[in-house]
Amino acid sequence: MISNISFSRAETCLIMEPMHSNPYGNVHGGALMKIMDNTAGIAAAKHAKGTVVTARVDEIVFHKPIHVGDIVTCIGQLAYVGKSSMQIMVSIVVHELSNYSEPETALTAFFTMVHLVDNKPAKVPELVVSTKEEEEIYKLGERKYRDIRLKYKA
Ligand SMILES: CC(C)(COP(=O)(O)OP(=O)(O)OC[C@H]1O[C@@H](n2cnc3c(N)ncnc32)[C@H](O)[C@@H]1OP(=O)(O)O)[C@@H](O)C(=O)NCCC(=O)NCCS
């Protein structure tokens, strides 16, 4: 069974339209969070090969505003797995449509997704690390997993 970080990586690419905007003309934070949640869910479902739910969202940071007409690319990749839970590292990078500018990181977050079978948490495959970069992601994910457990079990 394939279960490495690159296999489950998910990418969503969208142009921001007026329907994504808040009353001030920037893209609505909630619209961006929905894209992140969906992308994290796809990555988790690919890894678990089954149903997943969002259990938790940590550290959503809005680094820069996004405007109508920008192209956003949301990337979700597994960073660590516990028994039934998965840590997904999610980011949104943004390009301007007019000149396809260099990508800039606009949002980052960590999602915890849990695999369910018959509505109960179920074991997920081990996460295989293949490169040095993936090793770094895994170490970060492991740290987050431990910090998060300490927080919510406190
Ligand atoms: C997420 C959920 C399934 C966890 O159920 P639970 O009965 O608490 O299950 P457990 O205590 O056995 O925990 C299962 C895993 O979730 C993790 N978990 C549970 N609550 C968590 C929380 N608040 N934050 C982070 N991880 C959490 C546990 O650490 C455990 O991880 P592990 O299996 O890797 O060790 C349950 O709380 C739920 O259904 N929540 C609603 C989900 C939802 O509706 N999401 C929005 C729509 S997708």
Side-chain angles (χ1 to χ4, degrees), residues 110-140:
F110 273 88
F111 281 68
T112 304
M113 297 276 169
V114 175
H115 174 40
L116 299 182
V117 174
D118 296 334
N119 265 330
K120 292 195 194 75
K123 196 159 173 24
V124 293
E126 273 178 38
L127 184 61
V128 176
V129 169
S130 322
T131 65
K132 267 255 169 276
E133 193 194 344
E134 289 185 357
E135 229 171 78
E136 291 305 312
I137 292 172
Y138 188 86
K139 274 190 213 153
L140 179 64

Side-chain angles (χ1 to χ4, degrees), residues 25-86:
N26 290 344
V27 172
H28 198 287
L32 295 165
M33 288 192 269
K34 183 171 183 192
I35 296 168
M36 293 174 103
D37 192 28
N38 282 339
T39 308
I42 293 167
K46 279 169 88 176
H47 183 78
K49 298 182 177 59
T51 305
V52 298
V53 288
T54 310
R56 185 184 185 98
V57 185
D58 285 271
E59 295 174 34
I60 285 205
V61 183
F62 291 79
H63 302 278
K64 68 182 294 304
I66 299 181
H67 303 103
V68 171
D70 286 345
I71 302 168
V72 304
T73 305
C74 183
I75 298 146
Q77 48 189 354
L78 273 275
Y80 189 74
V81 301
K83 286 204 265 323
S84 64
S85 72
M86 295 160 275

